[in-house]
Amino acid sequence: VLVTAQAPGLKAGEAKITAQIDDPDKVAGAEWTKDPFAAPGTGTPLAAADGAFDGAREVVTGTAPIPTAAGARELVYVRARDTKGNWGALTPQWITK
């Protein structure tokens, strides 16, 4: 999982989330959340970088708000779902202003 706060094309206050997901049963979706206790499927959806969830390895992207205070840090968690409906574990990454 990579979170970039100053990527080209971002609006002020946004960070870009990029993650590579691998699953032998094919990736069917992915999401991010700031709540490590959030139920699977309740996070903010991430998009397949190639436009379709159709492979065992997918790069996913999305945006998340960055913290507002200078020097503040927040964790963003990413997880994916396979074609059998199984959700993977949360993978954390810091967003730093």
Side-chain angles (χ1 to χ4, degrees), residues 69-82:
R73 294 171 32 150
E74 292 180 323
L75 279 171
V76 171
Y77 300 88
V78 173
R79 66 177 149 214
R81 179 177 45 86
D82 66 20

Side-chain angles (χ1 to χ4, degrees), residues 1-3 17-22 31-34 36 46 75-80 88-94:
V1 176
L2 176 65
V3 178
I17 298 171
T18 306
Q20 180 176 303
I21 311 292
D22 294 290
E31 66 182 11
W32 71 266
T33 183
K34 289 185 179 180
L46 293 166
L75 279 171
V76 171
Y77 300 88
V78 173
R79 66 177 149 214
L90 293 169
T91 300
Q93 184 60 272
W94 288 105

Side-chain angles (χ1 to χ4, degrees), residues 9 13 27-28 34 43-44 47 57 63 76 86 90 93:
V27 179
K34 289 185 179 180
T44 302
R57 175 175 286 168
T63 60
V76 171
N86 301 309
L90 293 169
Q93 184 60 272

